[in-house]
């Protein structure tokens, strides 16, 4: 009896997760149509950044991610647990575009001659 109850609860939780994910995707689609979205996101990419915002950015259209790339690179340098999420956002972008353009967005990072930043970007470049 306990096992059946547990399976039922798991199914309910699973169904709720699916509904939340669908709702999130619908909202991201609507957000992506907002003309001031980049400005709104940039205001939220200051200070203590909620990791959920980075997950949302990863789902946004390419042109929005490109507009936010300098912010993402700056966050990635902080080594505060969000570095991997930022790398994932960058790597979710079009590979050909990245090959042609990533250097112009990230070369200032190497001006600091900081080995940690260099290591973070080597992962992206590889």
């Amino acid at each position: 009896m306990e096992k059946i109850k547990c399976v039922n609860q798991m199914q309910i939780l699973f169904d709720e997760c699916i509904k939340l994910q669908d709702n999130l995707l619908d909202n991201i689609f609507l957000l992506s149509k907002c003309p001031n979205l980049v400005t709104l996101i940039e205001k939220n990419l200051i200070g203590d950044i909620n990791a959920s915002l980075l997950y949302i950015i990863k789902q946004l259209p390419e042109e929005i991610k490109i507009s936010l790339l300098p912010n993402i690179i700056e966050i990635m340098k902080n080594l505060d647990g969000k570095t991997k999420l930022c790398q994932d956002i960058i790597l979710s972008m079009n590979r050909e575009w990245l090959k042609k353009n990533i250097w112009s967005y990230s070369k200032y990072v190497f001006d600091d001659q900081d080995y940690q930043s260099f290591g973070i970007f080597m992962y992206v470049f590889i």
Side-chain angles (χ1 to χ4, degrees), residues 84-101:
K84 178 74 170 99
L85 286 171
C86 292
Q87 290 171 333
D88 289 347
I89 291 168
I90 293 170
L91 294 174
S92 73
M93 298 170 72
N94 178 281
R95 299 277 182 184
E96 291 306 313
W97 185 90
L98 280 174
K99 287 178 187 177
K100 292 177 187 171
N101 298 287

Side-chain angles (χ1 to χ4, degrees), residues 11-75:
Q11 184 63 50
I12 291 168
L13 290 173
F14 181 76
D15 292 343
E16 285 298 313
C17 287
I18 297 295
K19 286 178 192 174
L20 287 171
Q21 180 67 23
D22 288 344
N23 190 28
L24 178 65
L25 292 174
D26 289 344
N27 288 336
I28 289 172
F29 175 77
L30 292 173
L31 273 174
S32 69
K33 304 300 180 193
C34 175
N36 297 324
L37 180 61
V38 171
T39 304
L40 175 66
I41 291 174
E42 286 174 334
K43 288 179 183 177
N44 287 282
L45 289 177
I46 298 170
D48 187 25
I49 298 157
N50 187 319
S52 295
L53 179 57
L54 297 174
Y55 284 112
I56 290 169
I57 291 169
K58 185 177 175 188
Q59 304 303 318
L60 291 170
E62 188 86 2
E63 63 272 7
I64 296 173
K65 289 190 271 190
I66 290 170
S67 296
L68 295 168
L69 190 54
N71 305 83
I72 300 304
I73 289 171
E74 195 60 37
I75 295 165

